[in-house]
Amino acid sequence: MFEQFRSILRREFPHARFDGAIMSPGQVMEALSQMLSMGFLVTVVSLFAGDYVLPAAMAALLSENKGSAFFAAMGMNMVAGKLISTGAFEVLANGIPIHSKVCGKRVAVQQ
């Protein structure tokens, strides 16, 4: 969204310099997202190679519940993506703030 907004502004004002950044969700959300992503990866690898890398009892349990494990892995992946997706950004024109979705909680409309 930030790149689209910046490209519209560059077309309208070719001589201005536009800076901006996508806002981070915070260290806690990023850490949770990374843990869920690792859980996703471990689950997918276990689904394909569980017979070779897991103890026999765990491999048997996983092979009996492959569908549930797959959907749990997909759920972890979806939640991980949502945790780091803030959609918030700010745009500066020649160092002057002209738009902030962080403060305004809305996207500017092209007129």
Side-chain angles (χ1 to χ4, degrees):
M1 188 72 176
F2 165 68
E3 291 297 329
Q4 293 170 343
F5 192 67
R6 183 166 59 175
S7 70
I8 291 169
L9 289 171
R10 280 189 177 156
R11 273 185 294 184
E12 297 294 323
F13 307 101
H15 299 294
R17 192 182 103 228
F18 296 100
D19 297 314
I22 297 171
M23 305 303 286
S24 169
Q27 291 180 343
V28 173
M29 293 296 190
E30 288 177 1
L32 284 172
S33 177
Q34 288 177 352
M35 285 189 279
L36 286 170
S37 294
M38 288 303 294
F40 166 75
L41 183 63
V42 167
T43 304
V44 170
V45 168
S46 298
L47 283 170
F48 289 106
D51 295 336
Y52 305 107
V53 295
L54 295 175
M58 287 182 79
L61 180 66
L62 188 62
S63 68
E64 292 170 5
N65 299 299
K66 284 188 177 188
S68 298
F70 176 76
F71 284 111
M74 290 296 120
M76 284 189 279
N77 195 36
M78 284 183 0
V79 170
K82 291 290 183 184
L83 285 175
I84 59 171
S85 175
T86 63
F89 61 89
E90 294 182 321
V91 178
L92 307 167
N94 297 326
I96 301 167
I98 60 169
H99 176 71
S100 174
K101 191 172 173 197
V102 176
C103 296
K105 304 289 185 206
R106 64 178 184 78
V107 178
V109 178
Q110 182 181 6
Q111 297 178 2

